[in-house]
Amino acid sequence: MRHLVAHRKLGRTSSHRKALLRNLCTSLILHERIITTLPKAKELRPYAEKAITLGRRARKAKESGQKEAALHATRQIAAFFFPGNSGNDSRQHNPQAERTAGVAALKKVTDDLAARFAERPGGYTRIYKLGPRKGDGAEMALIEFVGSEEKAAVTDQTEKKSEK
């Protein structure tokens, strides 16, 4: 019996699974759609949606003037990504250094995505099944944010116009 068994193990240790979800969540937020296996997509969905909900909370607290609550929510969101800048090119010493994916994802969640989903009470992502992968037969899926298909349609139309 599977009582109180909450999540899939995905064939990994707990630290590896946490790193996998952090990487997938970062990629999903930066690119707004990714293709992965169906079990990974199903595990990623609540993980990413919690980050977006915290982003909404941080944005709402910032707008109402509650600096401490906004900072707390932002720090909680940071736990969903790998931290900071890497290597010797830290932004402290070189302000023009490129932001790492985790910092860029944190900024995108608190600014862009929180504003986009401000009126939506949940359900920020959708999963499309793509069928089996050719190599090993793993069931593949596309996970994307609701509303990102409009952006893809716009870019497709601009590409078609540039080809003419």
Side-chain angles (χ1 to χ4, degrees), residues 35-151:
I35 295 174
T36 185
T37 61
L38 185 61
K40 287 178 189 174
K42 286 182 176 181
E43 280 300 305
L44 176 61
R45 172 185 268 173
Y47 192 84
E49 290 194 3
K50 179 67 174 175
I52 301 298
T53 302
L54 286 169
R56 290 179 56 219
R57 185 183 302 166
R59 182 175 182 268
K60 188 175 180 181
K62 191 183 298 183
E63 288 175 351
S64 64
Q66 299 173 341
K67 293 180 183 179
E68 294 86 10
L71 180 62
H72 180 62
T74 304
R75 287 180 175 165
Q76 283 182 312
I77 300 165
F80 287 81
F81 314 115
F82 284 109
N85 295 295
S86 61
N88 296 330
D89 287 336
S90 70
R91 292 186 65 82
Q92 179 180 3
H93 301 296
N94 182 6
Q96 285 77 30
E98 188 173 330
R99 291 181 182 264
T100 59
V103 175
L106 179 62
K107 183 169 175 48
K108 187 169 182 178
V109 166
T110 55
D111 295 342
D112 180 40
L113 295 176
R116 188 193 314 175
F117 297 123
E119 299 301 319
R120 191 175 186 93
Y124 314 116
T125 59
R126 72 166 52 100
I127 297 175
Y128 291 113
K129 293 182 182 180
L130 299 177
R133 183 164 49 198
K134 187 174 183 180
D136 61 356
E139 191 68 30
M140 298 300 289
L142 170 83
I143 182 168
E144 67 179 3
F145 287 118
V146 174
S148 64
E149 66 279 351
E150 295 162 2
K151 288 185 176 185

